[in-house]
Amino acid sequence: MNEEEPSIFHRISEKFEELHHMEDDYEGDLSEESNLKRAERRKEDRVVRKIVYILTIGILIVAGVLAISGYNYVSAGLKPLDRNDKKLVQVEVPSGSSNRQIGDILEDGDVIRDGMVFNFYTKFKNLTNFQAGYYQFSPNMTLDQISKELQQGGSAEPLDDASKLTIPEGYDVDQIASLVAKKTDFKKEDFIKVIKDDKFFDQLKAQYPDLLTDAGNAKDVRYRLEGYLFPATYNVHKSKSLEDLVTQMVDTTNQVLTPYYSQIKEKGMTVQEVMTLASLVEKEGVTQSDRKNIAQVFFNRIATGMPLQSDISILYALGEHKEFVYNKDLEVDSPYNLYKNAGYGPGPFDNPSQEAILAVLDPTDNDYVYFVADISTGKVYYAKTYEEHMELVEKYVNKDK
């Protein structure tokens, strides 16, 4: 008897089973392929992320370099072209010149480093009303100093040597007044009158409170503006007054001292004390090294209550300019006599240079209380005791007597 053949339903069931196995095999193959693709995509993603990371770091580095370069470029442009170059350069500012055009003129004249920085600076500071005319600037001037002269106005005619007034370092008010009378059409007595004008001083003090408040509070001063007429070269325009000239001098002093006002307060000093000591250091020392040492000698004396005993103070008290100070001169009755009076005295004895001011703000540490200069060589010798000092005096001062 023949075996019973599978029914149609059984065959259909087997076919479905076969198809099911085929589907499982296909899905297995498909899953393996998908895994490979996913792995490949992850690998590509890692590469892309690494590229993006490298590009981002690169962009940040480039941006940082550009930012630093830009900062250094602007910082350099804000500084004087050459702090040691005092020569005057004449430039002409045509009528209607924009700030950018003036900057280009100054750059072309080798007065400033960059005209574009000047343009940005004046706009940032909202400096306007620049006047046309002829000017004489020097490469050691700041952008602020140049801007203020531009606001004051230039000369209608080209300037010559007769238009320049150079105040030497260490000149006092009387010497400056004589020089002004010699070099300009102004009279000496008129200059002194302006210097002694209390109303004018109060105007200046309101304009420069950090600079002149201490001078305004000082007692027994001969001239309140002594010490604050900065030694430099100035343009004297016929259209300007003596008040304008004095204001330029005071403004220049303020420009020099502005970076140091906080340092002066930290040292526990007043501006008047700094300028007074600087006016002595200016005359007592020639080299910056000696000025810094002499400044510390003065501080050492003040700390111990010793009088400063500077011959410069005697000459100022006498109102004379002579080579030697004699014993009888030391008896002059004046608050400026620092042989008789301890401390700083009423105020400055002349108008000191920036170097002398910096020597006072940053003296060389020492424990000397005496110094003497060789009259033939100018070399300064220091001593800790009076006996040592007198030996140096005999050796270097009295040797030819």
Side-chain angles (χ1 to χ4, degrees), residues 142-160:
T142 64
L143 297 188
D144 197 55
Q145 289 172 322
I146 292 172
S147 298
K148 287 186 176 180
E149 284 209 23
L150 288 168
Q151 288 176 323
Q152 291 175 355
S155 171
E157 301 294 332
L159 297 162
D160 54 26

Side-chain angles (χ1 to χ4, degrees), residues 134-188:
Y134 291 90
Y135 296 86
Q136 287 185 334
F137 299 117
S138 60
N140 70 343
M141 295 176 69
T142 64
L143 297 188
D144 197 55
Q145 289 172 322
I146 292 172
S147 298
K148 287 186 176 180
E149 284 209 23
L150 288 168
Q151 288 176 323
Q152 291 175 355
S155 171
E157 301 294 332
L159 297 162
D160 54 26
D161 289 342
S163 306
K164 297 185 296 185
L165 176 67
T166 300
I167 308 300
E169 297 168 345
Y171 261 36
D172 61 29
V173 165
D174 287 317
Q175 290 174 305
I176 294 175
S178 297
L179 187 63
V180 168
K182 180 180 179 180
K183 294 288 187 178
T184 74
D185 294 331
F186 297 117
K187 296 179 180 180
K188 178 176 180 178

